[in-house]
Amino acid sequence: MRVGVFICHCGNNIAGTIDVARVAEETRKIPGVAYATTYMYTCSEPGQNEIKEAITREGLDRVVVAACSPRMHELTFRRTVEKAGLNRYFFEMANIREHISWIGENKDLNTLKATEAVRMAVAKVMQDKPLYSTSFKVNKRVLVIGGGVAGMQAALDCADGGLEVLLVEKSPSVGGMMARLDKTFPTIDCSICILGPKMVDVAQHDKITLHAYSEIEEIKGYVGNYQIKIRKKATYVDWSKCTGCGACMEKCPSKNSYDAFNFGVAPTRAINIPFPQAIPKKAKIDPNYCRQFVKGKCGVCAKICPTNAIDYEMKDEIITEDIGAIIVATGYSLIDMDKLPEYGGGRYPDVISGAQYERLLNASGPTSGHIVRPSDHMEPKTIAFISCAGSRDKSIGIPYCSNFCCMYIAKQAILTKDHIPDSQSYVFYMDIRSPGKGYDEFTRRAQEEYGAKYIRGRVSRIYPKGNKMVVRGSDTLLGAQVEVEADLVVLGTAVVSTPDAAHMAEKLHISYDTFGFYVESHPKLRPVETNTSGVFLAGACQGPKDIPASVGQGSAAASKVQALFSKDMLESDPAVARVNMNTCVGCLKCLKTCPFGAIKEKELRDGRVVADVIETVCAGCGVCTSTCPCGAIQLQHFTDNQLLAEVNAICRK
Amino acid sequence: MYKVKADKLKEVVTNVLNDVDLVIGYKQGFDAVHATPHFITSADQIDGLVWNPLCVHNLTTYLPALKMKKIGVIVKGCDSRTIVQFIQEGLVTRENLVIIGIPCTGVISVNKVLKETSRELLEEIVFDDSGNVTAVTGKGRKTLPLAELSPDKCRTCQYPTPLVYDHLVGDPVKSDKVPEGVYADIKEFEGKTLEERMKYWEQEFDRCIRCYACRNACPMCICQDNCIAESRDPHWMTQKMTLTEKFMFHMIHALHLAGRCVECGECERVCPMGIPVNKLKKKINQEMKELFDYEPGVSLDDKPPMFMFNVDELKIKEHKI
Amino acid sequence: MPEIATQELRVVGFLCNWCSYGGADTAGVSRFKQPTDLRIIRVPCSGRVDPLFVVKALLNGADGVLVSGCHPRDCHYSDGNFYARRRLEMLKRLLPFLGIDERRFYYTWVSASEGARWQQTVTEFTNRIHELGPLHIKKEATP
Amino acid sequence: MAETGFLPKDKINGFLEALGKDSLVYMPVLEGDTIIFRPFSPEKNLCLDRPANSPPKSVIFPQSDVLFSYRYEKETDDPKKVSVKIESHTDYPKAVIFGCRPCDVMGFTVYDRVYIEANGPDTYYKERRDKTAIITLSCPVPSAGCFCTALGGGPANREGSDVLMTGLEKGFFFEPVSEKGKAMLSAPGMEDGARYMQEAQNKQQDAYNAVKKPFPSVSHTELSRKRFDLNEFWQQAVSKCVSCGACTFLCPTCYCFNFTDEQTLESGERIRSWDACMFYHFTLETSGHNPRPTRFERYRNRVGHKFLFYPEKYNGVIACSGCGRCIRYCPVSVDISEIVSQLRSPE
């Protein structure tokens, strides 16, 4: 074997605290090493050329680069050796910068450690085997989960790029949170007015198939070749017949159904169309309230429906689809106000959430845009807004900032003044977070032009007094206790992940953080990718985001899919588990432990049953390898022998 | 008593033999104190069947290799745990098994008998219904209660009656041993200092000749011919007879049995060099019970703890350095 | 091959590529000084670490072994570290039975962002091993 | 100069210490319930009550033996040039095996034919063999499974030993067999043995009569080839075999080995280690094919080698000393003597 070793100075980053010449000299003594040299910047173009030339000049068949972290440059150098005609897996990196030169103070010890790190890499590279990726066909259909603004943007961009899109939305209409907002900051545009057209495009685009009121049942397969099951939930209305005339809704006798779209600000009918601009504009029955279901008799809607669309017998329907990539845009939820007892959320009718206030402000909302307080439907004159209601509060496990509350509270303060000119808004805040174009100016306008009183401090308690709500807090700027007697209190409730976020993540095999937000591949450089290839993120499911950010990420995810689908064939990563059929005893413990279901049984001609790896599904974690008692299943490039070679290189008796 | 059971057993086997390829039982071995596995494929072999405290072997060890055949097998309470574990791990096909269970009143430890008779050649050994054992040598006869001659596993046996069976020969027996007793030997050993323990294992393992009797007699050692102790790929061990390698082999054996060892004690019984091979596995089992409230081979619908997990592990706390 | 400097002991670390190896990188980028005894072996996932690797290292000259993976729930492969946790815990509880001080083996979770936590882990563990001194296991055997 | 010697019981340690001056003395030591040959030291628990669990064959034929080690060396000027330095290890010390049994020693005579006489000496074996003196103890009583007399041996067989000791009431009666043996008569504490001769002979005769004979005698020509080749016979006989190596590794006459090279980055060793025909790997071919895939085929080979192939090659000598270990220590009590008698009985 003829191993070539290239030790990088990295300017002074490495050479400053490691005697690289000494390392090269010691390395040269290893029998398998035919060539060992140092180089100023190995990752530079001349540096890479030096490697290529050395490979041909010295007839090297394996290469070790001792430099920075493989997480930084492994790919770079793999390409380099490949260009020189070696298999890209005949390459190892010794991390002598992050793990040695930058953290060790004693130059001699650093040099020794570096020498051994190189020694380990040499031992490993000598055990390396050439690996070749296989290519497989891609199904160029995209699944977008979630019909909020991010999901719709992603769907439209993919569709406009000529891709076939399946858009699955769990509520009866697309539009998501944005469709429920009154205006948007900082331009005070009518939210639904700017979103509506997008919703219509989604409905009318011939490349987009919309499955509203549907949920993802199951996801199988791998990038390029997923098989998914979609549950179309029973609406008890045949949407192929429903014209959305709304007659049923008018006549429906059960008037106290919970109105999810309006955050329960006011009740709705058991059969309803969530809002005028709904897409699709179809009615659905809520069996929890519908008399036909609860009492077993009624049937009013069925009688008056002009197209006989009502079908009380309707059942959930499961449909199967093949797709090649997935964009997850499942959005966010708001913290349940019961979790904020000090604010009396849930206990006092006149303490409401910012989201509910949006509906009160909205012309097509339950109060047709008249701000009235829930308890007595009086018009409030004094309104207290409380930001960070739950956010940035470790005690309830939400240490993070919810990103856009400061802005919408400012907006709501402004709109309140528009609606009720003689009103006075108070805003309790911890500090105002308004980065972004025109944002800070906007919060200033709320204070300076619209006279909202901003009080810096946490609210300690809210309690009723007569027909008022007393908001008690401290003004940290004045260093004094303040009490505001408000008619209505609006909480900027914290943004949290959707209730089934974790469940969905497990279906998708993507990771999620402790708060249930999905984790991107790299916080800086791969913000829309996940660790599962073929699955991308858009919008607030990855963390609190305002509209432009969500739309931007939607487009980004779409462009990632476009790039992925620009090829007809994909290459599989060859560093996956492989089974030695001669030594596999067929105990199938690997099959039981594989996190990805990448292992299946296989019966050989002699009747023996052995394990078999589905290469494209295997993600290369190696749990199977550490589970297999007879070492028959080996994760390529991290085989027992390869790791043992490293252990033996440093543990010698 | 044993005679009666043996006769009943022969009846059962006669019937079972009609619908299986093979029944595995016991017959008299090469001398008075040894029984030996008896592979019965035809009726004329049934007469050779014996049942008495010499029937120490765990016959289930043959089952995984015969997975494809229809087998009848005779099991004691302890042996039956192996089958339960096999089923948990899907290593046998229950439908292909006819399990003939025998409620067990204890077996002998050949080694203890030999010690008691100062290793004189044994001419005869008699088991009477009062639970006494009489050993006859050229130098005379000696009678002792079976309890004193039984292997340690019997002395703490919790499951004298098979946990799974198709036929039960004789009436169920209840255990009169306290569960706390099971790991008494482990606790006692832990009275030693670290240095003493290390010294102990070094001395014991040093006797190992790597004949792999412990491995091959072990019913849960499913790799057998593909054991990594002998393979070059993966190359975990050399063939050198250093203490390190012997130590390593026994660690492989123990860790591969983690949460799987049913404590039948065969590994220890068959070791020609008298190494307490079962001790490590018992220790691991003790921890499995503590950590996951799991005991191998006692419940058909358990799952072996090393091949599953809980997102929140109640008993596993973060460690301090 | 220079001999191991006398003041150093042999500490082996198995680090998962996605979290702990990254955490060690972060510590490096932040120039968090650490003892130099540790030798790092990179594995894709802590679930890849067969407890036998730890045993092999300890029997063959390591004085301490450290395994570090992603925090539970944050595993790059969603479940790997859950298996690791069970198996490594089992080993940690077995070691003293063999006469090996369980403090010579430590497994923990360090994320790619926890450079400081990594520095602390390496420093404290290395110091601990130095307190315990070299691990002596008899090597020769009689024929 | 006396023909025989007598060593009083209390003189044993002194005798062994004297031997230990110029050689490595191995003696049977009791550890727990196990007797194993260990280098002599007065603290160790010498035990002659019964045959050791494992014979002392590893003294002359080690279970694993580093035949030679090699080191790669780089020429500093040109890192591409590598030279190999080989170092062999044959400078063995003088050794004495004390207190083994006639059946154990017979093993060495079996090896001698293969490793010394047959096709040029195997230096590693011969060196140790020549440098080792063997003091054998005649068996006072047979152990379970013993059948040496059926194979032409006996509890007082002298073949291969340098001295035969017989344990008497007050001490040990020494009968030299070789020159090495004669020399020991002048060892410290040794008396003239003449007056103990009779007592010793009686002892030896009683022991001889006590050994059980599964068959009067056996020669490879008497065995039924037909039955030997019959798979059903073996399936019937050894379907219970678990295919471990206890029988072969405890066998004083088994001498098969395997070679493995163990290499680190700079150096390596060639190791000869015992192998067992009972192991699957023994005949496993690189292709994955195995001519003896089943356990009974492997056991057939074991019996065949001892009772047919070896005798055929070495004028009728049976390569089994009847020590009975493979019977005593077999996990499932496979009885080779029973199988041989079945092969012997007429078809």
Side-chain angles (χ1 to χ4, degrees), chain D residues 140 166-169 198-208:
Chain D
T166 304
L168 305 178
E169 212 177 334
Q198 194 51 49
E199 186 187 353
Q201 277 166 358
N202 298 345
K203 275 237 174 219
Q204 294 174 4
Q205 191 52 47
D206 298 348
Y208 189 94

Side-chain angles (χ1 to χ4, degrees), chain A residues 327-347:
Chain A
I327 294 172
V328 190
T330 47
Y332 66 98
S333 301
L334 292 162
I335 190 171
D336 186 344
M337 288 200 292
D338 306 353
K339 296 216 174 64
L340 310 167
E342 69 272 34
Y343 300 140
R347 255 181 305 138

Side-chain angles (χ1 to χ4, degrees), chain B residues 210-267:
Chain B
R210 285 175 73 175
C211 66
Y212 303 126
C214 50
R215 177 192 75 195
N216 290 34
C218 173
M220 299 315 298
C221 270
I222 47 174
C223 305
Q224 293 290 329
D225 297 340
N226 299 306
C227 177
I228 59 172
E230 292 164 286
S231 81
R232 295 284 288 192
D233 184 6
H235 189 186
W236 282 92
M237 293 178 61
T238 73
Q239 296 310 307
K240 287 179 93 171
M241 286 304 286
T242 60
L243 181 57
T244 316
E245 296 303 79
K246 295 171 178 181
F247 214 122
M248 188 65 195
F249 166 68
H250 288 282
M251 289 307 293
I252 291 173
H253 192 6
L255 291 183
H256 280 176
L257 282 160
R260 305 177 59 234
C261 171
V262 293
E263 292 176 30
C264 67
E266 284 292 84
C267 51

Side-chain angles (χ1 to χ4, degrees), chain B residues 281-299:
Chain B
K281 295 148 202 157
K282 268 191 89 174
K283 171 58 186 173
I284 297 177
N285 271 0
Q286 184 197 30
E287 295 298 343
M288 291 295 136
K289 187 104 187 76
E290 154 69 20
L291 280 171
F292 311 117
D293 191 27
Y294 177 86
E295 187 177 6
V298 296
S299 153

Side-chain angles (χ1 to χ4, degrees), chain D residues 23 30 44 75 80 175 191 201 212 336-338:
Chain D
S23 8
L30 184 66
K44 287 187 186 150
E75 289 172 26
K80 279 185 228 62
E175 298 169 72
E191 303 167 11
Q201 277 166 358
K212 113 173 194 269
I336 193 170
S337 68
E338 181 193 4

